[in-house]
Amino acid sequence: SQTIHQWPATLVQPVGSPLSLECTVEGTSNPNLYWYRQAAGRGLQLLFYSVGIGQISSEVPQNLSASRPQDRQFILSSKKLLLSDSGFYLCAWSVRGYRSINTGELFFGEGSRLTVL
Amino acid sequence: KQEVTQIPAALSVPEGENLVLNCSFTDSAIYNLQWFRQDPGKGLTSLLLIQSSQREQTSGRLNASLDKSSGRSTLYIAASQPGDSATYLCAVRREGGSYIPTFGRGTSLIVHP
């Protein structure tokens, strides 16, 4: 069966410090990968998505970046955190492509809570 | 651009009631619609997925229906329990090659004993 792991689960960082959140998927290959942010009282905001190694699409301008060094690994980074980067970050995956057996179902990790002070 | 709206934003009911949560979308050219549950401080758990060719899906006390022509989906929860308390979100994925689902803001449900 497929599983998705995110870490760290909780992070408290000072303004201006770097960030690295990691997400890995097991039990599947060639997944679509996504990073979302959920700020307090707000909806889910798509930050990045990837359809393959080294292929990253950014949905919003910000001081965050994403990388996909391996097929099932997705990393969210920042060189200098801002207060506004605080939030709940969620990684997700889905089967790639529109084959008849692909339902397009989206699966989420447990999330990483980031507090920037 | 697809817009997804969930009504009501919040709901508080006594245990045992049957509930209907609503999700509406503006573009009927969808690939699928997915319902999620989110507990406080946790990730999203997939509840039900309805393909565009389907009318409904059922899992235990949950039943989700889809009416593409009217741009609506409903999540029916039978005999609600305090453990059903959570935020419920729907997400719509557009047909034609988009990998990006559009999420609603969710309905926050409290079921009190």
Side-chain angles (χ1 to χ4, degrees):
Chain A
S1 64
Q2 300 89 1
T3 57
I4 178 169
H5 302 283
Q6 271 186 254
W7 68 92
T10 305
L11 199 58
V12 180
Q13 292 286 96
V15 169
S17 64
L19 170 73
S20 181
L21 300 179
E22 190 163 340
C23 171
T24 59
V25 180
E26 297 177 355
T28 188
S29 58
N30 304 315
N32 294 325
L33 295 171
Y34 310 79
W35 277 112
Y36 286 88
R37 177 169 60 199
Q38 194 175 38
R42 301 175 68 176
L44 276 171
Q45 179 186 33
L46 179 65
L47 302 175
F48 301 94
Y49 71 95
S50 170
V51 299
I53 296 175
Q55 300 179 60
I56 311 293
S57 295
S58 174
E59 289 294 300
V60 292
Q62 61 217 334
N63 70 321
L64 300 172
S65 62
S67 62
R68 185 170 177 173
Q70 300 180 44
D71 180 47
R72 293 170 292 169
Q73 185 184 29
F74 206 23
I75 298 172
L76 183 69
S77 304
S78 174
K79 293 182 180 178
K80 289 186 177 182
L81 284 168
L82 306 172
L83 287 173
S84 58
D85 291 324
S86 293
F88 192 51
Y89 289 82
L90 290 156
C91 182
W93 75 274
S94 67
V95 173
R96 185 187 302 176
Y98 279 79
R99 303 183 299 276
S100 59
I101 61 171
N102 180 6
T103 64
E105 191 168 4
L106 193 62
F107 301 93
F108 281 84
E110 281 296 306
S112 298
R113 171 73 59 191
L114 172 65
T115 303
V116 183
L117 301 175
Chain B
K1 178 185 174 185
Q2 181 74 274
E3 293 182 4
V4 179
T5 304
Q6 291 189 247
I7 295 173
L11 189 61
S12 180
V13 300
E15 181 176 7
E17 279 202 6
N18 299 324
L19 308 173
V20 175
L21 307 182
N22 297 294
C23 172
S24 61
F25 47 94
T26 54
D27 185 351
S28 61
I30 66 171
Y31 183 70
N32 64 29
L33 186 146
Q34 192 170 355
W35 281 95
F36 295 88
R37 168 188 173 135
Q38 186 177 26
D39 294 292
K42 301 292 186 181
L44 278 67
T45 300
S46 179
L47 295 175
L48 291 165
L49 175 78
I50 310 178
Q51 299 290 75
S52 62
S53 59
Q54 298 174 326
R55 294 290 299 224
E56 66 176 353
Q57 284 286 335
T58 298
S59 176
R61 293 182 295 108
L62 304 179
N63 176 277
S65 66
L66 175 64
D67 183 345
K68 283 202 312 179
S69 61
S70 65
R72 291 186 59 188
S73 175
T74 59
L75 178 66
Y76 177 81
I77 304 176
S80 58
Q81 303 170 357
D84 294 329
S85 299
T87 297
Y88 292 81
L89 298 98
C90 68
V92 176
R93 190 171 169 185
R94 194 168 156 265
E95 69 179 19
S98 171
Y99 301 105
I100 311 302
T102 301
F103 279 84
R105 296 287 295 267
T107 294
S108 177
L109 172 66
I110 296 175
V111 182
H112 48 87

